[in-house]
Amino acid sequence: MSRPPLSIVIPTWNAMPRLAACLEALVPGLSAGLIRDVVVVDAGSTDQSRDLAFDMGCRVLDVGAAGRGRGTQLIAGANAAKGDWLMFLHGDCVLPQDWVSTIQAHIEQAPHHAGYFALSYDDQTAPARRIAWWANLRARCLGLPYGDQGLVISRTLYDEIGGYKPLALMEDVDLVRRLGRGRLRGLPCGVETSASRYRAGGWWFVPLRNLTLLAGFYGGVSPERLRGWYR
């Protein structure tokens, strides 16, 4: 019997309560024999994130506060994962019921491409729909999906492009730039993520701040300096 191909890597830091829904949505992949392991890389959470992940059968790596930062956490998770394919997923992202067949088809039909999901939010207001629309347009037209859209990539291709870098910010943009548009595919399946940062920070301010950060990154501003702007 062949081994399940897919490892799922989830970086967390105080990811409750959305982490529960994120992990529950992965169960069909286990039942279908798709998932080999789920690696949760926690950066010193003070909530129940680590306990929940352990209780749900995940491999839990605790890198502590010193390892906080998605770039560092994603590297640690990828290094520990055992699958021939990797799915990187944020802890507040919830996959739909049909995600298993979508990923199976991608693995079979597009082994030399990375896939990303269409984005939606757990908020049905007009501002949330507008931001999701722009995010999906950016990913489709510019080849710039962000990390909250997930990423599915073969281990071979991940290693070929050098994997994630331990950047303070923009680790997702850095990786897809190295992939290039020609090796990226939008998946016919969506992922729902939390809109809490927009509700807290403002439906106009947060997108404008993100655009400023992106422009700064493309303009050569260091990720360490950008992280100071992000705060």
Side-chain angles (χ1 to χ4, degrees):
M1 182 179 294
S2 61
R3 299 176 302 184
L6 185 66
S7 288
I8 300 179
V9 177
I10 304 174
T12 57
W13 179 61
N14 292 340
M16 299 293 289
R18 289 279 295 185
L19 181 61
C22 173
L23 297 178
E24 288 170 2
L26 303 181
V27 172
L30 293 167
S31 302
L34 175 65
I35 298 176
R36 184 167 184 188
D37 55 359
V38 179
V39 183
V40 172
V41 187
D42 190 75
S45 289
T46 56
D47 62 8
Q48 301 302 309
S49 295
R50 290 191 302 274
D51 293 339
L52 173 68
F54 182 80
D55 290 344
M56 294 189 69
C58 304
R59 297 175 60 200
V60 180
L61 304 181
D62 188 354
V63 296
R68 188 174 303 161
R70 284 202 180 103
T72 301
Q73 291 172 256
L74 292 168
I75 292 168
N79 289 341
K82 298 179 179 180
D84 294 328
W85 279 79
L86 304 169
M87 178 192 290
F88 298 100
L89 197 65
H90 288 184
D92 62 352
C93 290
V94 180
L95 294 172
Q97 292 183 348
D98 61 346
W99 76 269
V100 173
S101 59
T102 296
I103 299 304
Q104 288 172 330
H106 181 79
I107 289 174
E108 293 171 4
Q109 300 169 12
H112 305 297
H113 293 78
Y116 62 89
F117 297 99
L119 184 69
S120 66
Y121 289 103
D122 62 341
D123 190 309
Q124 298 304 310
T125 61
R129 293 197 303 272
R130 180 188 70 242
I131 291 171
W133 186 85
W134 279 110
N136 291 320
L137 182 67
R138 180 196 66 235
R140 185 170 62 252
C141 295
L142 300 180
L144 280 178
Y146 286 173
D148 54 6
Q149 292 180 253
L151 189 74
V152 183
I153 185 171
S154 71
R155 171 78 68 175
T156 300
L157 182 54
Y158 177 83
D159 290 342
E160 178 185 327
I161 65 171
Y164 282 103
K165 304 300 182 185
L167 303 180
L169 205 67
M170 294 289 172
E171 77 291 332
D172 48 359
V173 173
D174 173 71
L175 184 133
V176 297
R177 284 179 69 187
R178 283 183 278 121
L179 270 170
R181 290 178 61 185
R183 292 188 288 189
L184 276 169
R185 283 192 177 183
L187 299 170
C189 182
V191 64
E192 181 192 87
T193 192
S194 171
S196 60
R197 64 187 182 278
Y198 294 99
R199 288 190 287 262
W203 293 102
W204 287 103
F205 174 78
V206 173
L208 288 173
R209 181 199 62 188
N210 291 344
L211 184 59
T212 301
L213 293 170
L214 182 63
F217 182 71
Y218 271 87
V221 180
S222 72
E224 290 75 17
R225 186 175 181 186
L226 290 174
R227 189 171 187 174
W229 298 359
Y230 185 78
R231 292 173 181 170

